[in-house]
Amino acid sequence: MLITCGLGVPLPEDVPLITGGWLVGRNGSLPLMIVTGLAGILIGDTLIFRAGQIYGEKLLDTRLGRHIPGERVQRTIAAFDRHGPKFIMAARFVPGLRAVTYFVAGLTGVPYWKFITYDGIAACVSAPAWAWSAQAQIAAFAVIAGLTVLYVAFLAIRRRWRRKRGLPVSTPPIPLQRVEGGLDRRAGMRRS
């Protein structure tokens, strides 16, 4: 599925990675999931890169290539000229830009070793992050629930302590006072 996502099929790459993280949380192998995720990601990205390298502009004139607007290709080429290989890394994290960027990387003659290095570095951040996100969500929920329980317990203990000492349990309301020069509602109503 990750290879299919890498081919530009409008399926989010995050879903299989989050599912893998969930499976790891249910006693799966985290290293195996990370290696599998990275392999699927890099194979899919390499296919797009090679399509740009081999077919180039000829592919843009086909039915498949018509889905990639020419202006987007030109903007991507301009971004390559300005930012170089770091643009390959950034594109991994921008939905809809990744496939065009990798295609243009092949089209413009970026060496494969440079492409796979920068794409691999970015994938080494995204694949484990999505794998750990399922576990992190559970941990974050547990921390929030634990802090809420501690706060409620603190309020109950403080209330009990104040009652034993005869202190007010809650703060009394502050009496409101008339402000000089303030709006007199009754006077405003008479004028209407």
Side-chain angles (χ1 to χ4, degrees):
M1 186 167 177
L2 287 170
I3 294 170
T4 305
C5 294
L7 289 173
V9 175
L11 297 171
E13 201 173 68
D14 316 339
V15 173
L17 293 173
I18 290 173
T19 303
W22 179 77
L23 291 171
V24 166
R26 298 181 51 94
N27 298 327
S29 170
L30 182 61
L32 178 63
M33 189 280 163
I34 290 174
V35 169
T36 305
L38 284 174
I41 289 169
L42 294 177
I43 290 170
D45 294 348
T46 297
L47 290 174
I48 296 173
F49 176 82
R50 290 291 187 198
Q53 198 174 42
I54 295 168
Y55 301 109
E57 292 181 26
K58 292 181 281 187
L59 188 63
L60 293 175
D61 294 332
T62 66
R63 182 184 294 181
L64 178 66
R66 290 188 199 124
H67 295 288
I68 303 173
E71 62 191 41
R72 182 180 276 182
V73 172
Q74 292 304 320
R75 281 190 311 221
T76 307
I77 291 172
F80 260 93
D81 291 341
R82 282 193 310 272
H83 303 291
K86 65 184 174 187
F87 189 69
I88 294 170
M89 291 175 65
R92 160 136 312 279
F93 304 100
V94 182
L97 183 63
R98 186 173 57 231
V100 175
T101 301
Y102 298 164
F103 180 82
V104 170
L107 178 74
T108 57
V110 173
Y112 180 71
W113 67 267
K114 190 179 280 191
F115 167 77
I116 202 70
T117 300
Y118 285 98
D119 185 38
I121 291 169
C124 283
V125 172
S126 69
W130 284 114
W132 288 320
S133 70
Q135 293 173 335
Q137 288 173 359
I138 293 169
F141 179 74
V143 167
I144 291 170
L147 289 173
T148 303
V149 168
L150 287 174
Y151 181 70
V152 170
F154 167 76
L155 291 177
I157 292 169
R158 186 176 76 172
R159 181 174 283 148
R160 189 178 307 142
W161 181 83
R162 293 184 81 125
R163 277 194 185 131
K164 282 184 181 179
R165 286 169 181 62
L167 298 171
V169 175
S170 61
T171 57
I174 300 172
L176 299 176
Q177 298 176 0
R178 179 175 288 284
V179 177
E180 291 298 320
L183 178 65
D184 186 7
R185 290 186 184 186
R186 284 177 278 164
M189 292 169 87
R190 284 187 212 136
R191 288 184 201 144
S192 304

